[in-house]
Amino acid sequence: MACPLSAILNPVDGSAQTNPLPATGDDDEVDATISEASTEINYERMPDEEVLGFNTPTKHRPSPPNTAPGTEKFAKRGIIPPVILSPIQGSLYDRRVTTSPTLAPVLPIPPPRNPLHHLADDPPPPSHETNPRRRFSIFNALLNYPELTLEFSKQLEIEDLISLYAISKEFHFLVNGRFTAMILGQAKGKASESSKTFIFRCYKSLCMRDPARRLNESKPDELRFIPSFRWLRMILFREAVVDDILRSLAADGHRVPKQTRLTIKKIWFTIDISDNARRIGLMHNTTFWSSKDLFLATMFFLKLDMRLTHPTAGNGEIGLRKMLLGQRSLSMLAKVLKREEMRTQVDMLRMIVRFNYEPPRHRQMDIMGVPSHEIGKLQYEGWGAKSTKFIQIDELVMREAVKRRLNLQDYYVDMMIYGYINKKTFQDIRTPMPKQEDGIEEDGEDDNSSENEEANSERLRAQHGRKGARRCS
């Protein structure tokens, strides 16, 4: 539909009608159409507001001072251009649509649905492909409740939690506001003892600045340090390594009490200290290292000697135990007990070279594949950064026990026979180990196993006696 010419030419009085536009060509049809359109509309009967809604001539309505630059030549002719192309007023099509008497077609009202057949007439629910705006996500709904979201995150593994934190934008910002609560909740639920032993404040390299930008209480000008995913991954790894150590010892028959798990973690925490002064100061702390911990640590060292050397044919050599405890981590000890590392003599020699080998004439050359800067460095403070030798952890435990006058040498025999002989019946424990997470048997379980074994033997004797009586009869 073409634009009506009344929107282009709007004469108001007769003078405007007697002064048509100058002809730009010899098109008579256009001039006739203009004259017919001007005579059909009676502008005298229209109110002023409706007349001003169209483009009125400039002689009756002067233009404002800030008019468009292209309107002056049209004002000389006696009209204003139909549309001033301005981005504020919109496009030409939109302006014509808004002034048109027929804005949009009226859609027919659909007939009412039959209430008796509403179940059969209901279409199936739209899928996520056809209606993506109305699909429901239980995870997005769960994000509206931060407490439930944190409880939900405790059920995830550490790798899945990190992936979710990296992928989901909503979960990322929700966790950033409660990062410390989330990490400590994960640590308490999955590794409670390790979170209390390996305190995150002692591992600054595994911490991060608070993403919520909370200030430090002691230093108001700095952001506080909070535990990160690296610290959480570290304590979970150490929890698994300690379990592997105890499980490997128990599989070979060297059982230890259940409380030894916490003692081994304290041993690992002491090994992390890189100088003797702080190690000795920590050993003097009776809150951290109690007398019971010193007793269990001594039993653990004794069980390691029994495992790494033959209990009867061995010559009492403790060099292998000292070398494994002199490493920077107890993960090497767990791998050796599981027979994953040091399976050949060459591997053992390489470990000796790294630990305490000192060549008489060192020519800065590699020895058996060990780099020159790693030869004999594990026995010094800072793992080679200083020239003072370490006091090994077993020697620190022995010194502290002597200082406290615990007389642990009186209990060596009890430590050796623990886990092999029942205390009540003084019989060997030959029953297989029960399947437990820690792989450790308690005294009560040993008693029950011996009693069950005696009951089974009595039943077998009674059955054989009955069979012999029947044969004699």
Side-chain angles (χ1 to χ4, degrees), residues 237-396:
F237 170 75
R238 296 194 174 188
E239 185 82 12
V241 168
V242 172
D243 291 342
D244 291 340
I245 292 173
L246 295 178
R247 190 179 295 110
S248 300
L249 288 176
D252 294 328
H254 307 287
R255 303 175 182 88
V256 292
K258 188 177 181 180
Q259 295 81 7
T260 311
R261 177 186 287 104
L262 179 59
T263 304
I264 296 176
K265 295 173 184 177
K266 293 182 179 181
I267 292 173
W268 201 340
F269 181 79
T270 308
I271 291 175
D272 289 338
I273 300 176
S274 60
D275 57 272
N276 292 327
R278 291 187 295 167
R279 285 188 177 187
I280 295 174
L282 182 62
M283 296 299 300
H284 290 342
N285 188 355
T286 57
T287 304
F288 189 83
W289 278 100
S290 61
S291 300
K292 184 178 180 180
D293 292 328
L294 297 177
F295 179 87
L296 295 176
T298 305
M299 180 186 291
F300 173 68
F301 298 149
L302 187 60
K303 294 292 183 179
L304 279 180
D305 292 336
M306 296 173 66
R307 170 64 182 86
L308 299 175
T309 59
H310 198 277
T312 57
N315 54 1
E317 179 63 32
I318 61 176
L320 188 58
R321 185 247 299 171
K322 284 184 172 293
M323 182 175 61
L324 292 176
L325 293 177
Q327 304 296 319
R328 297 192 62 174
S329 174
L330 292 183
S331 58
M332 181 59 67
L333 174 61
K335 293 179 180 179
V336 172
L337 293 178
K338 291 190 298 182
R339 300 178 183 178
E340 296 178 357
E341 292 287 343
M342 207 171 64
R343 302 180 62 180
T344 61
Q345 293 182 356
V346 177
D347 295 338
M348 183 181 297
L349 291 176
R350 289 174 181 171
M351 189 177 295
I352 293 173
V353 169
R354 283 189 174 91
F355 178 57
N356 59 357
Y357 179 69
E358 295 180 355
R361 295 180 180 179
H362 189 41
R363 300 178 180 178
Q364 303 297 327
M365 298 177 63
D366 299 348
I367 300 177
M368 300 183 65
V370 179
S372 59
H373 63 276
E374 296 181 3
I375 297 175
K377 296 298 184 180
L378 293 180
Q379 62 177 340
Y380 294 103
E381 289 186 356
W383 298 282
K386 300 180 181 179
S387 59
T388 305
K389 290 187 177 182
F390 269 129
I391 301 177
Q392 298 299 325
I393 183 62
D394 53 348
E395 188 175 352
L396 289 173

